[in-house]
Amino acid sequence: NHAAELDGNNDGVVEFEAELIAEVNRVFEGIDQNQNGTIDQSELGSRGVRSAMSGFIRQHASELDRDQNGISIDELKREFTKFFRKADRNSDNRLTGEEWK
């Protein structure tokens, strides 16, 4: 379960903006080493940042890169928002331990 890794303040809840989107931004910046605003194939092999999210991005790069023009921050945010919304059953922008399961 990778949700616990996203719980930056260890309070048992993953907050949408403060923790999930913050982690998307951190991981994106870590992988986008040339800082051109997209993650391309050459950057996927680098060890820029330690995170389960970076592993997911590497494994699913072709699916995440919808326009085949490098993975943008918007593409990442859209995908991880979709995962979050699916798990956030009461739509309060917070994932509790019960929702993680």
Side-chain angles (χ1 to χ4, degrees), residues 20-28 53 73 76-77 80:
L20 178 75
I21 296 301
E23 182 69 357
V24 169
N25 288 328
R26 185 184 78 83
V27 169
F28 182 83
M53 190 178 286
I73 188 70
L76 282 187
K77 285 181 181 177
F80 284 100

Side-chain angles (χ1 to χ4, degrees), residues 5-70:
E5 293 176 36
L6 295 172
D7 184 13
N9 62 2
N10 295 312
D11 67 351
V13 175
V14 176
E15 302 279 343
F16 178 69
E17 283 290 336
E19 293 173 319
L20 178 75
I21 296 301
E23 182 69 357
V24 169
N25 288 328
R26 185 184 78 83
V27 169
F28 182 83
E29 289 170 13
I31 298 175
D32 182 23
Q33 293 185 345
N34 65 8
Q35 299 180 342
N36 70 344
T38 61
I39 297 171
D40 59 41
Q41 283 300 119
S42 66
E43 292 167 315
L44 288 171
S46 69
R47 296 280 175 232
V49 71
R50 275 184 63 84
S51 169
M53 190 178 286
S54 65
F56 179 89
I57 292 167
R58 286 180 177 90
Q59 286 182 316
H60 298 278
S62 60
E63 300 149 63
L64 291 168
D65 187 8
R66 300 226 184 262
D67 60 9
Q68 302 301 303
N69 201 16

